[in-house]
Each structure stands twice: as structure tokens, then as C-alpha cells.
Amino acid sequence: MADLLLVPHAAVSVSSAPSLCTTRSPLQSQQRSSIWGARHFQRACVSKGRLNSVNERVVLKESRKNGIHCQVSTTRSESIVEQQKADGTYSSLSQVCAVLGSQWGDEGKGKLVDILAKRYDVVARCQGGANAGHTIYNDEGKKFALHVVPSGILNDNAVCVIGNGVVVHVPGFFDEIRNLEEAGIVCEGRLFVSDRAHILFDLHRSVDALREAELAGSMIGTTKRGIGPCYASKAIRNGIRVGDLRHLDTFKDKLEVLLKDAASRFSDFTYDLDAEMERYKVFAERLKPYITDTVQFINDAHRQKKRILIEGGQATMLDIDFGTYPFVTSSNPSAGGICTGLGIAPNRLGDIVGVAKAYTTRVGAGPYPTELFGEQGEALRAAGQEYGTTTGRPRRCGWLDIVALKFTCDINGFTSINLTKLDVFSGFGKLKLGVAYKIPSGESIQYFPSDLSVLESVKVEYEELPGWTEDISSIRQYKDLPAAAQAYVERIEELIGLPVQFIGVGPGREALIVKE
């Protein structure tokens, strides 16, 4: 447990650990606020028993009352320091590290974020909403399905941030918090939501379903979680932001504008404005401890040499600009979304780890060149348990698409790859890698086309590699993998020109090979 020292101070400074508080008098309200609010920190400390005595609580309370700045100095737990010393690969990752999906989502990003979060002070989500689904496991093997809360929440030393680029369904947010707290995980005081993030209302979900029904046979295949309509509200500038909950006197007027816009588009759309307003009066009070200016928070944390881990939602092939448009999400899950979704400058980004399954999957509609059908597709789906975390939908499955993977490597500037679910291939006699596309003219291309009519007409050129029969789920050293598994990994490295640094061989935290 970290040691705490409460020190009245004339200026704010930040120690090397993620816990810090400052308070200000009303006369200082327009000055720059500290990156951690004392109120938020106090709640977290008291609930977790981090304040060592009643006297310390009183000092903090009096400091707030008198407007005195209060610095909390902490030291990292010795276990983390020793872990970082012993683990060169993890600790060598940069101060700002991002983990992004490189395919059509569901690659297993949450597991790597959960593992890396132990080495970072701040874990942040930068885009997307509850359409993202991250399945992670704690040390006891308990499963957690997270949607908007960052995966770093399972690690007590991490402070979690939901950035301005995320759309937040407030009832769903509190559902996640309840599930976490029932498992003994404290959220208040170490989970913050951007005041610039847009609120996703139930009306957005209704509009999403109505739009999909309207499209009939040409549906996009959304999760019907209201993500697209919420981003549409943001784009046409009638959206409502989390910070607006601080101003309930104008909130109802803004909500009425939003409702009228939906009603004008769909004749059978109905909504009870007064009932919704009453709900959000309650939510406004409950959400207060979580609302933060996360742009300032993140940049102050960076200046204070805090280590920041960024967790992407969805993946690049679903990017609204670079994915298989229009069968995409409504945000930028690529590297550019980090800067716009958190307010952090591009030159502050360091390592960007791309997460890719050893094969490919996608949900919903849209072209998918390496998709497997019939018995082969079913066998891969069954072996990989490929059903959506968010929707439960069966995922479409296929061989690893190297053309698409190289494309996403170029866009994101990945520094390494986390190859997940390699264990799924145990027992497969032969494996294939899609290394090029052949277009109808007969020409072979190795780039990913933007034209869907071209993409839908390509024939994939495959390389075939031998499989292996051994169960590799208990292997933790790369050298112990079967020769065929090593050959598969190394051929991927050759084709994309990047190292496969992390290899997943099972769902648990420990089922990871770190390749030197």
C-alpha cells in the first residue's frame, strides 16, 4: 500500500504515483485547476482505506474548506517497481503507449490493456461507446465484460479516463460501475469522464433501430446501441455534452431540441420529455464526482511524467475514414482518434501496439475477402468461441488477411503487434495467410482498395503453412512453441515488416508469451 503525506503547499506538484489532490478557494476558481480533485481523491482514499487516520481526513477536509492547496505524495508499491525491473519488455514501452485494433474489432485488446495497466498511471479510452466490448479476467479468473469503462479499472494503481471522443450512455455507465463495485472494485475517485464527451440518450438507440429497419436489405449491421445517431447529433451540433449536466436550468431546452429533431425525421417516434428530464436530474447528481476536464487532466499528467496507456475501441477496418465504408463505425479507431479523442498532441505518442487475431473476424455486414463459409467457418468459430461481447452475435470468421493488416500498419504506424488467439489453431492441419488480392482483370494487388465494388470482386491469393496438433495454451516461452507455430508467427513478421511482440495463447492474463 502506498504511503500518503498531506502537505499544504503554495503550488501544485505531482509525485510519481497516480494519486494527487489539490483544492482551491472560490477566488481561485478561474485559475488552472489541479489534475486530481481533492473531493474525488478523498472518496477513493476513504473507501479503499488509503487515509491512515481520522486526523488525515480532517486535514484534507480543512484544506478544502480554507482553499489551501494540498499535495499528496505517494510511492509506488514495491511489487510494481520490482515487476518493472524484472520485466524489460513491458517497462521499456514509452510514457504514452496506445493499444489499437488492427482488424474489424474483437481482437482481444482489453486483455493486453489489462496487463499493461499495471505499468501505467493513467488508462484512457479515446473514442467509441458501448458498442465496444472488452472481455477481461482478474487474478482469480473472474470474467468482466466492459463496454465504456477502460480495462485498466481492474488494477488499483491505475486511474481511468473516458475521453471527450467517447459517447457515453449514462445508465449503461452506472450499470458497469455497479457490476464492478459488486465485485469489490472501487470506481469513484479513480474513474473520470470528460465534460466534453457527448451523452448518448435512449432516443439515439431508438433512432438507430429505426434507421436499420428503414434500410431493410441493405442494413449497415450496427449494434443498435445508438452510437451512429449520437455522433450524428454531435456533428450537426445539437448534441448534449456531459458538462451540460452541470446546468440543469438549460438542459431541458437542449433535450427538447434533440427530441424534436428525431421526431421530425421519424413520424412514429415518441418520447416522454418530462420523464427523461427527471431521470437526468438524478444522473446529474450521481455523475458529479466523475466529471472532469480530461484534456487538462491528460496533458498535466504527461507534463508530470505520468505513464499513460490508451485503449482503442473497435478497430481500424471499422474506421469511418479508412474502413470498409459505409459498413464501419462512426468514429476514428485509428491513431488519429487518439489525438482528437483525448486532446493529446501527436508528438507525444510513443509505442502503438496493433492487436490482431491469428485469423480474422468481423460482425455485421460488409465485404470480408478471407471469410470462410460452411464447415471450415463453423470450425473456426467454435474453436475460437467467436460470439460478440456486446451483442452475442456469431462472428464471421476467416483466414488472416495480410493485405488488410499491412494497410492498418501503414495508417497507424504500429511499432509492434500483439497476435492473439494463436492457441485456437491447435489441431488445424493446414493454415493459410491471405497475401494478395487478384482483381477481375487478373492483376495481383497487395494494397487494400477503397472501392467496395473492387473489394467484393477480388480473389484472395493464399500462402499455405503447416499446422500443429499440440495444445499450446500452457506455454509461456516462445522457444517452447511448436516449430510450425513459430514459423506461422515469423512468416507474419516477414510479410508485414513488424515484430510480433506479444502472443496470446489463451483468455487468462497469464496466457501471454512475450517474444524477445
Side-chain angles (χ1 to χ4, degrees), residues 394-445:
R395 296 173 184 142
R396 300 158 65 190
C397 299
W399 299 117
L400 181 59
D401 189 331
I402 295 294
V403 180
L405 184 55
K406 287 169 68 176
F407 174 68
T408 61
C409 289
D410 285 343
I411 289 168
N412 293 291
F414 292 140
T415 52
S416 64
I417 296 294
N418 171 202
L419 193 70
T420 64
K421 290 194 153 185
L422 187 64
D423 58 302
V424 170
F425 277 146
S426 293
F428 280 64
K430 293 181 180 179
L431 308 178
K432 291 183 179 181
L433 294 171
V435 297
Y437 297 158
K438 184 172 286 187
I439 57 177
S441 66
E443 179 186 357
S444 180
I445 61 173

Side-chain angles (χ1 to χ4, degrees), residues 96-100 122-127 150 160-166 192-197 234 292-300 302 308-312 332 334-346 348-349:
V96 181
C97 175
V99 177
L100 303 180
V122 179
V123 182
R125 274 282 305 276
C126 60
Q127 49 70 227
C160 293
V161 170
I162 297 172
N164 59 275
V166 179
F192 300 101
V193 182
S194 173
D195 53 5
R196 292 176 171 88
K234 177 179 179 177
T292 305
D293 182 345
T294 59
V295 176
Q296 178 186 329
F297 185 104
I298 288 289
N299 282 284
D300 279 349
H302 182 269
I308 301 167
L309 181 63
I310 299 158
E311 172 182 9
N332 292 107
S334 54
I338 297 171
C339 303
T340 57
L342 285 176
I344 192 167
R348 292 178 177 172
L349 299 181

